[in-house]
Amino acid sequence: MAWGVVFWSIATFLTPWAARHSTAMLLAVRALFGLAEGVAIPSMSTHLFRWFPCNERASAVGIAMAGFHLGNVMSLLVSPIILSSVGINGTFAFFASLGFVWLSAWIGRIPNDPRDSPDISHSELQLIRAGKIDSKAESSQLPPLRHLFSKLPALAVVLANVANNWGYFVLLSWMPVYFKTVYNVNLKQAAWFSAVPFGVMALSGYLAGASSDLMIKSGCSIIHVRKLMQVLLPF
């Protein structure tokens, strides 16, 4: 997670320079950004598995994803203001600096495993670890990629994420342009219109997580709950 933040913050900072240099350089920098950002969701999922009890994990995912969507809402709303004040270079530098500010708090406070944290009490650790196997012993044993991609469920997860991310980030990037071009609204108004879907995603994602935990606690199968939420909330 930390290295991902480092590299995507650097890529964000370099984007205006790359755009002025050449199209190929811009594509390379944005590809670096995408590769670095690609670790965020898998790392987040691993940390949530390690740090939350089984009966609170869906709610934790809902809160984390709500933060993900609300970050997009805030960036859409503040970007026009920053852009009008400090220009395009300053806007990218501002968001790149946020990554390093976050990193300074994260890297010194959050270990990989709650068992390594001095801030977790014994009773809290027992609550978190209830029903889990010892993941430390297995964390270094990764399946071969050939074996992993030979499994249809793994391929389905990969393809679903590719399709989801493609649609999500195309909408995120181009929705303000769409409102400005088609409806002739100014950039600040377009930002407000563009932010609404992501705000709704944040709220619905949190409600889905909390509802999932309630359904699982009431005896519903985790598989059935997961499939139901996937149908109701494809994003």
Side-chain angles (χ1 to χ4, degrees), residues 78-156:
V78 303
S79 291
I81 301 171
I82 300 172
L83 188 63
S84 63
S85 302
V86 296
I88 189 72
N89 290 346
T91 303
F92 279 89
F94 171 76
F95 285 110
S97 66
L98 288 182
F100 290 107
V101 170
W102 179 89
L103 186 65
S104 65
W106 167 271
I107 201 166
R109 294 283 298 172
I110 308 297
N112 282 332
D113 195 285
R115 288 171 288 185
D116 299 326
S117 174
D119 300 321
I120 299 294
S121 67
H122 180 68
S123 59
E124 287 177 312
L125 186 60
Q126 284 186 318
L127 178 65
I128 292 171
R129 296 292 305 161
K132 296 181 181 178
I133 61 171
D134 187 357
S135 60
K136 276 192 168 183
E138 300 182 356
S139 60
S140 61
Q141 299 178 2
L142 298 176
L145 287 179
R146 182 177 180 180
H147 175 73
L148 186 64
F149 286 110
S150 68
K151 304 299 181 181
L152 286 178
L155 290 174

Side-chain angles (χ1 to χ4, degrees), residues 1-6 8 36 39-45 47 102-103 106:
M1 177 69 87
W3 281 111
V5 174
V6 168
W8 85 53
V39 308
I41 301 300
S43 297
M44 181 196 76
S45 299
H47 278 287
W102 179 89
L103 186 65
W106 167 271

Side-chain angles (χ1 to χ4, degrees), residues 148-164 230:
L148 186 64
F149 286 110
S150 68
K151 304 299 181 181
L152 286 178
L155 290 174
V157 169
V158 170
L159 292 175
N161 275 278
V162 168
N164 175 70
Q230 190 64 49

